[in-house]
Amino acid sequence: MARILITSALPYINGIKHLGNLVGSQLPADVYARYMRARGHEVLFICATDEHGTPAELAAAATGEPVAEYCARLWTVQKEIADGFGLSFDHFGRSSSPQNHRLTQHFAGRLADAGLIAEVAEKQVYSRADGRFLPDRYITGTCPNCGYERARGDQCENCTKQLDPTDLINPRSAISGSTDLEIRETKHLYLRQSLMRNKLRDWIDSKTDWPVLTTSIARKWLDDGEGLQDRGITRDLDWGIPVRRGTEPWPGMEGKVFYVWFDAPIEYIGATAEWADAHPDAGGWERWWREDGGAADVRYVQFMGKDNVPFHTLSFPATLLGANADGAETWKLVDYIKSFNYLNYEGGKFSTSEGRGVFMDQALEILPADYWRWWLMSNVPEGSDSNFTWESFQAGVNKDLADVLGNFVSRVTKFARARFGDTLPEGGAHGPQELALIGELQRGLDSYQAMMDGMAFRRASQDLRQIWVLGNEYLQSAAPWAAFKSDPDRAAATVRFAFNLIRLYAILSRPFLPEAAARMLAALGHPEDTWPTDVAEALATLGPGHRFEVPEVLFAKIDDARRIELEARFSGAG
């Protein structure tokens, strides 16, 4: 039994995420966690909301709520949606937790002791009316490039040009609207990543099994232009983790907080500490994160979209390596980063403001989670960007879920009930047809497991679907409805074999389709779901006399009228 730590990139707190966010980290992480648990491994699956930074403050201000109350409310919303999609986190934490406060301050102190923190004087915009320095996003004005009047101090959303606040024409505070602004000097802390460049390169070069997407992005940030740059880790904000050097004050940093990109990855550890505090018998968080505390045998796997790769291949490892510098602490670094490209919507981008695309809460209102889980994972953007279309979604639901898996379960259970009652019949035995199928299924299972072990989820979904197809082909060939008239023992043996196939399908499908798998096992009256290693043995589990029920339709088809209606509703056309 292995010990596997799994983290998914933290969803930002401001609002509900779209399907692209879901398939870019949380959903594949859940599929992998469910699979590894089913294989008998000790798994800890961690995620949390990312709650600090300017967008959280602005979103709270827009609703009129104090930022702490806003974040608490949105955490509940995101947790309920995650539960709705069957995301099996062992803990879904908050980056604003006391545990993350302590750990972030601890890491800052360790990095300072290692000479990896620099105090840098900067000139920033100060608002007299608000009595505070304004981060880039707190300043709006007219873009000097395109004339857009609501450009932010970091970027114009209209023409996408990167900006500095001083570039804006007629700049004003996004808080009060005041134009009474001036440039003042302030000090901030910088993580001296440039000093870690060679160590980070050696570490990345050692990861020969990582996806090309992951390593290519990391190397680009390491070497393009002037190479890896030092990065600010503090901000002049009210909401965040107060700057301290470990447990001590940090002179000159009064009133400042750590920058969100610095504290958010540390929340992986913070959320584990939250989980450990809630489970005092679990052995503590150190056994997952400190090699000097029992984590030496842990395999740590991260899941994220490609936009998060630089922070997880460079900045967060620099933090951990820097904290390890004197050997007094040995923090666990990631073993494998599974990164994903983007999911587009009908050839374009998802857009909250334009109502374009499907967001997670809307998806659950339309259809149960398994419909979405299947399509997203069978089209997961691994090698390149993927494109969601309603036609493709309709085809995935109808042809894969309804016509193949759902149809098999329905035909088998309804025929058995009609001909044999509510218990599996006696009579007959496996013949050449069943033995040949067992061989094919064993080969299919071996391939499916290899793909899941390697996190090749598209290939894994194809293998799983082919395993379902084999059952349908067997049923069509064995034709128990015809054999029942001339050879009832043969029909009985076919039915028992087919019921064991349903059980096998439920167990193998559970990582992708947890709700449907649970319904299949419940209909069989057989909740035991040990992962099969030997297909022949697994297909001899349910014997004569075993009681069953006919489940409700597992998957309803999407007709053309419904598809057209949904296309129009989420087109962003108005």
Side-chain angles (χ1 to χ4, degrees), residues 113 115 126 134 154 183 260 269 271 309 329 370 421 431 513 521 571:
D113 292 343
Y126 185 87
L134 298 179
D154 60 345
I183 303 298
V260 60
I269 310 173
V309 167
E329 299 176 359
D370 279 358
L513 305 170
L521 291 172
S571 67

Side-chain angles (χ1 to χ4, degrees), residues 387-407:
N387 186 42
F388 178 93
T389 69
W390 286 103
E391 283 192 2
S392 175
F393 181 67
Q394 178 190 32
V397 169
N398 292 357
K399 295 180 180 179
D400 296 349
L401 299 180
D403 284 348
V404 183
L405 180 59
N407 181 58

Side-chain angles (χ1 to χ4, degrees), residues 233-513:
I233 63 169
T234 57
R235 283 291 186 270
D236 291 294
L237 291 171
D238 294 328
W239 173 245
I241 297 175
V243 175
R244 295 181 69 84
R245 185 167 177 156
T247 58
E248 300 300 319
W250 202 312
M253 293 294 121
E254 295 83 5
K256 300 181 189 295
V257 300
F258 286 106
Y259 193 14
V260 60
W261 77 260
F262 181 69
D263 78 72
I266 295 171
E267 169 58 10
Y268 295 138
I269 310 173
T272 310
E274 296 168 44
W275 165 81
D277 287 347
H279 299 85
D281 297 331
W285 63 267
E286 291 90 347
R287 66 186 292 265
W288 293 97
W289 283 102
R290 292 278 295 268
E291 293 190 356
D292 55 330
D297 64 339
V298 169
R299 175 169 167 79
Y300 177 23
V301 182
Q302 294 175 346
F303 289 81
M304 70 197 65
K306 61 185 176 184
D307 53 330
N308 275 314
V309 167
F311 299 109
H312 290 78
T313 55
L314 302 171
S315 300
F316 186 39
T319 297
L320 298 176
L321 288 166
N324 290 352
D326 62 2
E329 299 176 359
T330 50
W331 294 89
K332 174 68 184 174
L333 276 80
V334 66
D335 293 296
Y336 192 89
I337 297 179
K338 177 68 174 179
S339 56
F340 297 91
N341 290 283
Y342 294 139
L343 176 70
N344 295 316
Y345 180 81
E346 296 281 3
K349 293 182 178 180
F350 286 81
S351 172
T352 306
S353 59
E354 296 177 8
R356 177 179 169 78
V358 185
F359 287 71
M360 289 172 66
D361 58 338
Q362 298 167 326
L364 292 175
E365 292 169 4
I366 297 168
L367 286 168
D370 279 358
Y371 292 67
W372 302 102
R373 288 176 65 105
W374 175 254
W375 188 90
L376 290 168
M377 291 307 300
S378 57
N379 293 274
V380 63
E382 288 174 319
S384 61
D385 290 352
S386 295
N387 186 42
F388 178 93
T389 69
W390 286 103
E391 283 192 2
S392 175
F393 181 67
Q394 178 190 32
V397 169
N398 292 357
K399 295 180 180 179
D400 296 349
L401 299 180
D403 284 348
V404 183
L405 180 59
N407 181 58
F408 180 80
V409 173
S410 177
R411 291 175 74 190
V412 169
T413 55
K414 286 181 178 178
F415 173 77
R417 168 65 60 83
R419 293 292 184 264
F420 299 107
D422 57 6
T423 59
L424 294 186
E426 295 183 356
H430 289 175
Q433 200 169 8
E434 286 77 21
L435 294 176
L437 178 56
I438 286 170
E440 288 187 82
L441 289 168
Q442 187 67 60
R443 289 187 289 276
L445 174 60
D446 292 343
S447 178
Y448 176 53
Q449 291 177 161
M451 294 304 104
M452 290 292 280
D453 289 339
M455 288 169 269
F457 295 112
R458 271 208 195 202
R459 291 276 305 279
S461 70
Q462 294 166 7
D463 285 343
L464 180 59
R465 186 187 188 279
Q466 182 56 32
I467 289 171
W468 300 341
V469 167
L470 290 173
N472 280 272
E473 292 174 346
Y474 163 76
L475 193 64
Q476 197 64 26
S477 175
W481 46 87
F484 182 77
K485 300 175 183 177
S486 59
D487 189 350
D489 279 353
R490 176 61 187 154
T494 300
V495 163
R496 288 198 309 276
F497 191 77
F499 265 81
N500 278 287
L501 280 174
I502 293 174
R503 175 180 172 272
L504 178 70
Y505 290 174
I507 296 168
L508 300 185
S509 303
R510 177 167 268 175
F512 289 87
L513 305 170

Side-chain angles (χ1 to χ4, degrees), residues 505-546:
Y505 290 174
I507 296 168
L508 300 185
S509 303
R510 177 167 268 175
F512 289 87
L513 305 170
E515 182 182 333
R519 290 174 59 197
M520 291 160 70
L521 291 172
L524 296 180
H526 193 81
E528 191 278 320
D529 60 353
T530 302
W531 190 269
T533 54
D534 182 282
V535 169
E537 182 180 324
L539 293 178
T541 303
L542 305 179
H546 185 85

